[in-house]
Amino acid sequence: TVPPGWDVFRSFTLPRYFDYQLEGTGEPVYYGDNESDYSTDVLADLAVDFLAQSSRPAFVWFTPFGSHWPRIPAPRHEGTLPPADVTDVAAFNEADVSDKPKWIRRPKLDVEELQRKLTRQRETLLAIDEAVGRLVRTAAGEPTLFVFLSDNGLMNGSHRLTGKDLPYDRSVRVPMGIRYTGVIPPSDPRRIVT
């Protein structure tokens, strides 16, 4: 159902990269498996169109499915990044986990498999980067507050773990960045607050 107060609301019936349906205000729309159906791009088009046609002030909540499992990059981005460097993951494939709880004491991870997954995950983020750039350009000239927030952290091989919802900083700390165009001068774009 559409939450109260929304002029335009579109949401996944079941979130996917391809072969999904968007519901909300207006009739449900099905998207297939064509390159133009890539869900990050479709949601970006809807968000940019809404922002371009809205009077100010406006609120846009853009929540693409990327980079969730099964981590399918846009066809234009697939295979474009080199293998992910897992050495930047603290305690990656930790050599000795005997000091950890029993449920963590497991065999080492397959490094090549995890590199492949992380690379695909990062490739899904390229379409999100493009979408955010489009939203920023569409709002140009107006004071605009952008809040970038992740829904969770991931272990990505730290302590031999790959999931989320675990009692480690890498999992529980959620990256957040704020950009307030026209009000607060930009700072170092590499700085992320956690």
Side-chain angles (χ1 to χ4, degrees):
T1 60
V2 178
W6 291 85
D7 295 320
V8 177
F9 185 86
R10 304 301 287 171
S11 179
F12 289 107
T13 304
L14 178 64
R16 293 186 175 166
Y17 294 98
F18 292 101
D19 294 317
Y20 58 93
Q21 182 169 295
L22 294 179
E23 295 184 350
T25 52
E27 292 297 314
V29 179
Y30 174 79
Y31 296 87
D33 58 4
N34 293 321
E35 188 169 343
S36 62
D37 294 326
Y38 189 68
S39 63
T40 299
D41 296 338
V42 168
L43 291 172
D45 289 344
L46 292 169
V48 166
D49 289 348
F50 173 79
L51 190 58
Q53 295 173 19
S54 69
S55 58
R56 300 289 193 262
F59 175 79
V60 175
W61 186 0
F62 174 66
T63 57
F65 183 55
S67 65
H68 287 87
W69 182 259
R71 301 173 178 145
I72 299 172
R76 66 185 176 280
H77 296 136
E78 194 162 3
T80 60
L81 295 180
D85 180 8
V86 294
T87 62
D88 66 348
V89 176
F92 177 79
N93 239 355
E94 189 174 0
D96 181 9
V97 290
S98 62
D99 63 332
K100 304 292 185 285
K102 248 184 190 175
W103 59 271
I104 293 179
R105 297 179 204 158
R106 57 184 72 191
K108 285 190 170 188
L109 299 168
D110 180 329
V111 175
E112 289 181 11
E113 175 66 14
L114 190 57
Q115 279 182 309
R116 187 186 69 73
K117 288 178 180 177
L118 291 176
T119 302
R120 288 180 63 81
Q121 180 182 38
R122 292 172 184 174
E123 287 173 345
T124 68
L125 294 173
L126 296 173
I128 295 172
D129 286 347
E130 293 171 353
V132 169
R134 290 177 60 203
L135 286 164
V136 168
R137 286 188 299 278
T138 302
E142 297 285 334
T144 306
L145 175 65
F146 289 92
V147 179
F148 305 94
L149 185 64
S150 175
D151 61 344
N152 60 264
L154 284 174
M155 295 301 288
N156 287 337
S158 184
H159 306 298
R160 301 185 189 177
L161 300 169
T162 58
K164 57 184 180 180
D165 303 329
L166 299 164
Y168 290 97
D169 275 357
R170 188 164 183 90
S171 176
V172 298
R173 286 188 172 271
V174 178
M176 177 180 165
I178 295 175
R179 173 184 171 141
Y180 203 170
T181 307
V183 177
I184 299 174
S187 62
D188 184 348
R190 295 169 295 176
R191 183 168 182 241
I192 298 291
V193 178
T194 58

